[in-house]
Amino acid sequence: MTPDQALKEAATGALRPVYLVLGEERWLVDRVVSAIREAAAKGGIAGFNEDKFTAGDAPVESILGAARMLPMMAPRRFVMVRGVDRWEKKDDGDDGEGDDERGGAGGKRGVSKQLSPLDALAEYAKAPSPSAVLVLVATKLHGQRRLVTAAKKGDFLVSCEPLNRRALPGFIATMAREKGNPIAPDVADQLAELAGPELGYVVDAIERLSLYVGPKQPITEDAIAQVVIRVRQSTVWELIDALGKRRLDKALAALADAYDPRDGGLRLLGAVSWSVRQMVKFESALAAGASQAEAAQRAGVAPFKANDVAQSVRQLPKGALAGWMRVLAETDLALKSSRRPAQAVLETMLMEMCAR
């Protein structure tokens, strides 16, 4: 099931006895677990029927014992286990298919070896306690594990994987709307480029933007420039224009003015990448026969910027934007993995973009 489906179940109180919350997007994981915990605690004293474990620190027998324990003055217990994937790493020799009655390599039929912790959880899920909600949390588990296949078959697997880039602007628009602040599609796309892909940072940025603009006020590019990144989008377009005209001196001056060492250059790179991506969409729309106004709409360019973007696109030689996209991708990798100073990496990026 999706995180939204799990949240709806929690909101109605129709909880399942077992949930396997699986995925790398920590914000979604925490949101789902928190909602299930809150729903499970209704009708009882907060924290009185609750146990939290970390896989490996506590034996699986203790966890299952807590799940089978009757609740006290409450309809159900809440039992959570984090780091379930730690058991997978320690489970040497298990091929993921589960145990049988042959007792392992060299064993005899009829002699059963002890179930691994993951298989013990899968066995429990076949006949779980009706008075407990067992939440198992893992970043990643092999798809052929008995626990994973049982969770898929029993529909208690909650997949919390990171959102792809295409889905992120929609998520931002929804979260902003929940805060009472409208946001234009092109601004949501800009924020996705600057704050993504981790949802925790995205949600924090939306929270700060909402407080900055005030109740019912729209989230704008200017607000993003003040709250999320120090550089205004107009400055980024000046940098792009300098690159298009092969004015490396102006481009480096704009970089020196806009660079913020606190974010290691990633936010500035995101702003440049977003602008270049708009230019790619704009150029593609013009090549397909669209008018300048239509191209601007398809690229998410504000109408008052259409002329500037058109001029920037036309002054570039054919294929330059594709080359820029490759340079930007290489720079992103360098900023995240290289030991070179971030500003030096960005200066190299500008020199390569100017050369192209």
Side-chain angles (χ1 to χ4, degrees):
M1 73 179 79
T2 66
D4 283 342
Q5 290 172 325
L7 292 172
K8 288 179 181 178
E9 285 190 358
T12 61
L15 297 175
R16 300 165 192 250
V18 182
Y19 288 90
L20 175 59
V21 185
L22 192 63
E24 297 181 351
E25 181 44 71
R26 184 61 181 268
W27 184 83
L28 287 176
V29 169
D30 289 345
R31 194 180 190 199
V32 168
V33 171
S34 179
I36 294 173
R37 176 177 176 267
E38 184 178 341
K42 288 182 178 179
I45 302 173
F48 203 63
N49 290 280
E50 180 175 303
D51 286 293
K52 297 179 181 179
F53 301 93
T54 299
D57 293 347
V60 70
E61 292 80 10
S62 297
I63 293 166
L64 297 180
R68 293 187 175 112
M69 187 184 301
L70 291 175
M72 185 174 294
M73 296 183 293
R76 56 200 160 197
R77 291 178 53 77
F78 174 81
V79 181
M80 182 182 70
V81 188
R82 286 199 179 274
V84 172
D85 41 333
R86 293 175 64 185
W87 274 323
E88 185 174 60
K89 296 174 183 177
K90 294 180 180 179
D91 192 11
D92 297 331
D94 189 347
D95 62 3
E97 297 295 330
D99 301 311
D100 57 27
E101 294 186 351
R102 286 174 288 184
K108 297 180 180 180
R109 288 188 179 276
V111 180
S112 298
K113 66 178 181 179
Q114 185 178 6
L115 289 177
S116 70
L118 293 178
D119 286 341
L121 293 171
E123 284 296 314
Y124 170 83
K126 291 180 180 179
S129 170
S131 59
V133 179
L134 176 61
V135 179
L136 308 170
V137 182
T139 301
K140 192 173 184 179
L141 287 173
H142 194 286
Q144 295 303 312
R145 289 282 176 184
R146 287 175 58 190
L147 178 60
V148 177
T149 56
K152 291 178 180 178
K153 187 176 180 180
D155 199 25
F156 61 86
L157 171 63
V158 185
S159 179
C160 296
E161 297 301 332
L163 293 184
N164 61 45
R165 177 61 179 79
R166 185 174 296 179
L168 197 51
F171 172 85
I172 289 171
T174 299
M175 295 300 296
R177 187 165 56 248
E178 290 180 5
K179 292 289 183 183
N181 302 103
I183 185 169
D186 60 315
V187 180
D189 189 66
Q190 180 190 21
L191 184 57
E193 188 67 43
L194 296 174
E198 294 182 9
L199 295 188
Y201 187 88
V202 171
V203 172
D204 177 70
I206 294 171
E207 178 73 31
R208 289 183 285 120
L209 285 164
S210 177
L211 292 172
Y212 178 80
V213 301
K216 299 182 180 180
Q217 296 302 308
I219 294 174
T220 62
E221 285 186 13
D222 284 343
I224 291 174
Q226 293 295 326
V227 177
V228 180
I229 184 172
R230 193 167 65 89
V231 59
R232 292 180 178 274
Q233 195 60 35
S234 58
T235 305
V236 175
W237 282 117
E238 290 174 6
L239 190 152
I240 296 292
D241 184 64
L243 291 173
K245 294 176 179 177
R246 302 297 193 275
R247 293 297 306 272
L248 181 59
D249 55 340
K250 286 190 175 182
L252 290 173
L255 171 64
D257 180 61
Y259 176 71
D260 187 347
R262 292 174 298 178
D263 60 27
L266 287 171
R267 304 303 166 207
L268 178 59
L269 176 64
V272 174
S273 298
W274 182 71
S275 298
V276 172
R277 191 174 289 110
Q278 281 189 312
M279 293 173 69
V280 170
K281 293 177 181 178
F282 190 92
E283 183 184 52
S284 177
L286 288 178
S291 66
Q292 182 172 298
E294 291 172 334
Q297 185 177 15
R298 293 182 194 179
V301 175
F304 65 88
K305 293 181 182 176
N307 286 334
D308 292 338
V309 175
Q311 183 178 354
S312 296
V313 168
R314 289 176 181 133
Q315 71 185 7
L316 291 173
K318 188 175 181 180
L321 287 174
W324 281 10
M325 291 298 292
R326 285 193 293 272
V327 172
L328 291 169
E330 292 166 359
T331 303
D332 181 69
L333 180 62
L335 285 175
K336 294 174 180 176
S337 60
S338 174
R339 295 184 179 180
R340 293 177 62 205
Q343 188 165 358
V345 172
L346 292 173
E347 288 172 349
T348 300
M349 173 192 79
L350 296 184
M351 287 186 281
E352 292 183 3
M353 292 173 73
C354 233
R356 289 175 184 271

